[in-house]
Amino acid sequence: MAEAVETNSGSDVNTAVSSTANVMGYLQDEMKSEYEAVPTLHLGELDLTTDEFILDEVDIHIQANLEDDLVKEALKTGVDLRQYSKQVETELQRIEQASIKDYIKESQNIASLHNQITACDSILERMEEMLSGFQSDLSSISSEIQTLQQQSVSMNVRLKNRQAVRSHLSQLVDELVVPSTMISVILDSPVTEQEFLEQLHELNNKINFAKELSFRETLACSDIQDIVDRLKIKAVTKIREFILQKIYSFRKPMTNYQIPQNTLLKYRFFYQFLLANERQVAKEIRDEYVGTMSRIYYSYFKSYSGRLMKVQYEEVADKDDLMGVEDTAKKGFFSKPSLKSRNTIFTLGQRGAILSPTELEGPILIPHTAQRGDCRYPYETLFRSQHYALLDNGCREFLFLSDFFMVAGNSALDLFNCIMGKTLSMFLKSMSTYVSDCYDSIAIFLCIHIILRFKAITAKRNIPALDKYWEAVLELLWPRFEMILEMNIQSIRDTDPQKLGVLDTRPHYITRRYAEFSSAIVSINQTFPNERTNSLLGQLQVEVENFVLKMAAEFPSRRDQLIFLINNYDMMLSVLMERAADDSKEVEGFQQLLLARTQEFIEEILSPPFGGMIAFVKESEALMEKGQLDRLKNDEARITQLIRGFSSTWKQSVEALSQDVMRSFTNFKNGTSIIQGALTQLIQYYHGFHKVLSQPTFRSLAVRSELINLHHLMVEVKKHKPNF
């Protein structure tokens, strides 16, 4: 049996088990179907004497059985149930006997199946033992893997710790080690070599690192401290000699100190190294530089300023060169002398060009070149050149100090003042001396605006070093300018017209002085307006207007007075409009005065030849407004005389009037304008004359036919219009 089991494969076992199960299931199904096919009613099971028997339940069972299909069929066919029951029992017994025979017939197969099942159980038992062994092996492998994982984590932590320690130690060693290359370069290479600068950076790092380690009390620091100190001393010595040599080179005559300054800027780290490691040497170098440059700037600017003043105009304004001073007392104010020998006092001319961007920031004057060419310049030109040199050098010096000496803010300003302070004081002192005796107000005002523009330039460059100096200069110039302007105002106020010589209707030289001066100040003042200046100019204008009126009063006739006023107003207005804006206060004021006096003069010159007609027209228009024109109806003779007189003499009168006007006014354009105004006014009066005579009161007059046609008169008048 064992051999059969061993030879059978797993599929035979499965087939045997499956067939046995099928046989057992078939028998069970057959027996169940037989029993279910025959409904049985075992009345013997009913205990009618039982107290617990409930008739209702019997009824329920009976009712349920009656519902069965077989019972219904039996009842329908009238079968005897007892007989049927016996038949069923007989059938069951037969089936049972048949089943037993079948079992006996298959007994050998069943026994074989049992043996196969037993063999399968043993095989499965061995497989279970094998799988259990595998499971135990896997458990041990899992524990070993966990152990290896823990060991790996531990080794990884140790590796990271060692790497971290190694990086720190490596950095520490690198910082501590002084390579031979550094030693040889610091000792032997010139400071201007690039490798020296590179090794100096490395040495500076090692010095700082050694200081840091010393604070931590690192023992390894003592191993390199000695050699680092000796290298530092050697580097400091070489750097000190190099920088001092460059500073000493500034002192050589005719040296362009900007070149060594640029060289020092290339090696600005040298001073940073000294400042960090040897402050005493750094202070020595700084003090040496400050002292050297202070003397250089002072010497340069003192010499330059002195030479500049030698090319100034020899003739300068003095206290007698005021606007109201008689021309007989000081000759030549407006005689157009050569600019090489004489500066103008009240005329701006080309002097204002100094404020243009090209002139303002142009090259400075070279005094010896100007002397060779026998050139002379006004004070403001010398002032511009001097202060532009100061601005240029001051800005460059401030930037150098901030960059090389690593200073900023107040420290930079203090260092700059240590260098330039003596020079700036010298400037202020010499300027104060010159300004205290200067009476050239235009020069002073130009200097003020030069400083205002230079101040804007330094602000644009973000250089605050010269701000205080600019303010100090303005504090010197503004009061002096105001004082000179007030002196001119007072001189005009004190002028006595009777002491000014022969009367002349042409523009007076004092008003010309005022016009030139006022236009100069107004044009300069437009960029940086100053209210104090405008106020003083307003006072000056009032005094000049009063002076013109006083001068006009000296003329005996009103006609000459008006000619004088118109000529002077026109001249002042023309000069002002060349430089000042058309809407300036001065221009508007003189335009109103000129218009009023011109209108009065036109009435004055029309009065002699046409006064009768003008008076009649004015009188008639006044009566017309009142409705009383009839009061003149008896003036036929007067009207006749006026009409015939005008017709016969108007051409000659207009011609004489035109010639007289052109002779009276120096400005032909103004004279032409007055003639046009007079002719226009004449036509208006004659038109009014026509209008009056066309009224009912005078329509019946025969003389009206002799009136000149108004259109014809206008055509004829145009022929007398002068063309210039």
Side-chain angles (χ1 to χ4, degrees):
M1 190 60 161
E3 293 178 357
V5 173
E6 291 176 355
T7 56
N8 287 331
S9 62
S11 61
D12 295 334
V13 175
N14 293 332
T15 304
V17 174
S18 176
S19 60
T20 305
N22 291 335
V23 171
M24 295 297 293
Y26 174 77
L27 294 175
Q28 290 176 357
D29 293 337
E30 287 292 330
M31 293 175 67
K32 183 177 180 181
S33 61
E34 292 293 337
Y35 281 106
E36 289 179 352
V38 182
T40 56
L41 184 59
H42 301 283
L43 297 177
E45 294 178 1
L46 297 176
D47 188 1
L48 298 178
T49 63
T50 303
D51 295 335
E52 297 178 356
F53 182 81
I54 301 174
L55 295 177
D56 294 337
E57 293 182 0
V58 175
D59 292 336
I60 293 172
H61 283 291
I62 293 173
Q63 187 65 33
N65 289 327
L66 290 176
E67 295 297 327
D68 189 85
D69 293 336
L70 293 176
V71 175
K72 289 180 178 181
E73 184 65 27
L75 291 175
K76 286 181 180 180
T77 57
V79 177
D80 186 359
L81 291 179
R82 285 187 296 273
Q83 185 65 31
Y84 185 73
S85 174
K86 289 180 180 181
Q87 184 180 349
V88 169
E89 286 179 1
T90 303
E91 186 67 24
L92 285 175
Q93 289 176 0
R94 185 184 60 79
I95 292 172
E96 182 180 357
Q97 293 296 325
S99 296
I100 291 172
K101 290 178 180 180
D102 289 338
Y103 276 114
I104 292 172
K105 183 179 179 180
E106 297 294 334
S107 60
Q108 291 182 355
N109 292 334
I110 292 172
S112 176
L113 178 62
H114 173 73
N115 292 333
Q116 290 177 3
I117 291 173
T118 303
C120 287
D121 286 342
S122 63
I123 292 171
L124 293 173
E125 184 177 358
R126 288 197 304 271
M127 291 179 66
E128 181 180 5
E129 291 175 357
M130 186 184 303
L131 292 176
S132 298
F134 288 161
Q135 184 177 6
S136 62
D137 292 341
L138 289 176
S139 299
S140 62
I141 291 173
S142 176
S143 62
E144 290 177 1
I145 290 174
Q146 291 179 354
T147 303
L148 290 175
Q149 185 178 8
Q150 293 173 355
Q151 291 176 355
S152 175
V153 171
S154 176
M155 291 174 65
N156 189 33
V157 171
R158 289 198 299 271
L159 177 61
K160 288 183 178 179
N161 292 337
R162 289 177 181 179
Q163 288 177 342
V165 171
R166 179 181 179 181
S167 64
H168 288 296
L169 287 176
S170 177
Q171 182 180 358
L172 177 64
V173 172
D174 290 341
E175 294 290 344
L176 287 175
V177 171
V178 180
S180 58
T181 305
M182 177 185 293
I183 298 173
S184 61
V185 170
I186 295 296
L187 294 178
D188 301 329
S189 295
V191 296
T192 54
E193 295 291 335
Q194 180 64 27
E195 59 179 356
F196 180 86
L197 185 60
E198 294 173 356
Q199 293 301 326
L200 188 66
H201 277 278
E202 292 296 327
L203 178 60
N204 188 57
N205 292 335
K206 292 187 182 299
I207 292 172
N208 293 333
F209 190 70
K211 290 179 181 178
E212 182 181 350
L213 292 181
S214 64
F215 292 142
R216 301 178 186 176
E217 299 181 356
T218 303
L219 297 178
C221 179
S222 60
D223 294 340
I224 64 164
Q225 191 67 49
D226 181 59
I227 188 171
V228 168
D229 289 342
R230 283 188 289 173
L231 286 175
K232 180 180 72 174
I233 293 172
K234 183 63 178 178
V236 167
T237 303
K238 295 177 72 173
I239 291 172
R240 176 181 177 276
E241 292 176 358
F242 172 76
I243 296 179
L244 289 178
Q245 181 184 1
K246 291 297 179 184
I247 294 175
Y248 294 153
S249 67
F250 295 169
R251 302 175 182 178
K252 296 178 182 179
M254 306 301 293
T255 298
N256 184 358
Y257 61 86
Q258 296 176 8
I259 295 176
Q261 271 188 340
N262 293 334
T263 303
L264 287 177
L265 284 177
K266 290 171 59 178
Y267 302 103
R268 62 174 65 86
F269 181 71
F270 288 173
Y271 184 79
Q272 182 180 348
F273 180 83
L274 295 178
L275 194 64
N277 300 289
E278 201 64 48
R279 286 186 172 271
Q280 192 63 32
V281 176
K283 184 178 184 303
E284 176 192 1
I285 289 177
R286 177 170 166 171
D287 293 343
E288 190 67 32
Y289 178 84
V290 169
T292 299
M293 293 307 297
S294 177
R295 291 190 295 271
I296 288 174
Y297 280 126
Y298 180 78
S299 175
Y300 166 74
F301 279 107
K302 183 177 181 181
S303 173
Y304 182 68
S305 300
R307 292 177 182 178
L308 275 180
M309 297 308 293
K310 292 180 181 179
V311 296
Q312 186 184 5
Y313 284 126
E314 295 178 357
E315 294 186 38
V316 295
D318 57 29
K319 62 181 179 180
D320 294 325
D321 292 326
L322 299 175
M323 201 174 294
V325 175
E326 301 92 321
D327 200 22
T328 55
K330 189 77 173 181
K331 296 291 185 181
F333 276 169
F334 305 101
S335 58
K336 297 184 180 178
S338 172
L339 290 179
K340 293 183 178 179
S341 61
R342 177 67 191 274
N343 183 20
T344 54
I345 305 301
F346 301 107
T347 304
L348 183 62
Q350 297 300 317
R351 299 170 71 183
I354 197 71
L355 298 178
S356 65
T358 54
E359 290 280 343
L360 189 68
E361 300 184 53
I364 63 174
L365 292 177
I366 309 299
H368 61 272
T369 303
Q371 285 178 326
R372 283 202 303 266
D374 196 23
C375 297
R376 297 287 174 172
Y377 300 94
Y379 177 72
E380 66 271 9
T381 301
L382 310 181
F383 182 89
R384 196 281 316 175
S385 184
Q386 181 187 45
H387 282 81
Y388 187 69
L390 174 64
L391 180 148
D392 192 40
N393 286 274
C395 290
R396 184 179 290 108
E397 186 64 31
F398 183 80
L399 292 174
F400 174 82
L401 295 175
S402 301
D403 198 0
F404 185 78
F405 291 103
M406 298 179 296
V407 289
N410 292 331
S411 299
L413 294 176
D414 293 341
L415 186 59
F416 178 83
N417 289 330
C418 289
I419 294 175
M420 300 295 293
K422 190 176 179 181
T423 301
L424 298 180
S425 299
M426 181 265 294
F427 269 22
L428 291 173
K429 184 177 179 181
S430 61
M431 198 183 311
S432 177
T433 303
Y434 180 86
V435 168
S436 63
D437 196 38
C438 177
Y439 294 89
D440 188 353
S441 53
I442 290 181
I444 297 294
F445 200 58
L446 285 172
C447 291
I448 289 173
H449 280 264
I450 287 171
I451 293 298
L452 291 174
R453 284 162 173 78
F454 282 169
K455 186 178 180 182
I457 290 173
T458 54
K460 185 177 180 180
R461 295 181 183 179
N462 197 23
I463 306 294
L466 292 170
D467 288 353
K468 290 185 178 180
Y469 174 74
W470 301 139
E471 294 297 333
V473 174
L474 292 175
E475 288 177 1
L476 278 176
L477 297 178
W478 273 118
R480 185 65 186 178
F481 172 74
E482 293 175 0
M483 190 197 78
I484 298 173
L485 200 52
E486 289 171 351
M487 291 174 64
N488 281 288
I489 293 172
Q490 188 62 39
S491 70
I492 294 177
R493 186 181 295 127
D494 297 339
T495 299
D496 186 357
Q498 295 180 354
K499 295 181 180 181
L500 297 180
V502 181
L503 293 175
D504 193 345
T505 58
R506 290 175 295 180
H508 199 273
Y509 58 84
I510 290 181
T511 58
R512 180 171 292 278
R513 291 175 186 173
Y514 162 75
E516 296 285 355
F517 177 79
S518 181
S519 65
I521 300 300
V522 169
S523 63
I524 296 171
N525 199 45
Q526 288 175 351
T527 306
F528 294 92
N530 180 267
E531 291 301 323
R532 174 63 177 162
T533 302
N534 292 334
S535 175
L536 291 172
L537 284 178
Q539 296 179 29
L540 181 62
Q541 181 179 349
V542 171
E543 295 301 330
V544 170
E545 291 175 3
N546 293 336
F547 164 76
V548 172
L549 292 175
K550 288 192 294 183
M551 284 296 301
E554 296 295 317
F555 291 91
S557 68
R558 182 59 181 169
R559 178 180 177 278
D560 290 341
Q561 291 178 0
L562 291 173
I563 292 173
F564 176 80
L565 291 173
I566 291 172
N567 275 329
N568 281 274
Y569 289 153
D570 177 65
M571 182 273 298
M572 289 188 286
L573 185 61
S574 299
V575 174
L576 280 170
M577 291 183 68
E578 289 179 2
R579 298 187 181 274
D582 293 343
D583 58 349
S584 65
K585 182 175 63 176
E586 292 80 7
V587 171
E588 291 180 351
F590 284 116
Q591 282 178 337
Q592 293 175 2
L593 291 172
L594 177 62
L595 181 62
R597 299 289 80 80
T598 299
Q599 193 63 37
E600 184 180 352
F601 178 74
I602 288 173
E603 296 290 337
E604 187 72 21
I605 60 175
L606 289 177
S607 181
F610 307 109
M613 182 189 69
I614 294 172
F616 177 78
V617 170
K618 290 181 177 179
E619 181 182 1
S620 299
E621 288 177 347
L623 291 174
M624 285 172 61
E625 291 180 359
K626 298 177 182 178
Q628 301 175 357
L629 190 60
D630 291 341
R631 293 173 58 180
L632 298 177
K633 64 182 179 179
N634 297 324
D635 288 352
E636 182 178 353
R638 178 185 176 189
I639 294 172
T640 301
Q641 182 182 0
L642 291 174
I643 293 175
R644 291 174 178 174
F646 182 86
S647 299
S648 60
T649 63
W650 76 269
K651 290 185 179 181
Q652 296 84 350
S653 299
V654 167
E655 184 67 29
L657 181 148
S658 299
Q659 294 177 359
D660 184 38
V661 168
M662 297 310 297
R663 285 195 302 267
S664 300
F665 297 99
T666 56
N667 185 349
F668 286 161
K669 183 178 180 181
N670 184 43
T672 301
S673 175
I674 292 174
I675 291 174
Q676 291 177 352
L679 295 178
T680 301
Q681 189 66 33
L682 174 62
I683 291 174
Q684 289 179 353
Y685 279 134
Y686 199 70
H687 179 264
F689 190 51
H690 267 263
K691 185 177 179 182
V692 170
L693 295 181
S694 64
Q695 298 298 316
T697 305
F698 305 110
R699 285 178 183 173
S700 60
L701 295 177
V703 75
R704 288 182 65 246
S705 61
E706 299 181 21
L707 284 172
I708 300 175
N709 182 271
L710 189 62
H711 179 70
H712 176 71
L713 178 64
M714 293 174 64
V715 173
E716 291 295 326
V717 164
K718 285 183 179 179
K719 296 179 181 179
H720 292 81
K721 176 183 176 181
N723 296 315
F724 295 101

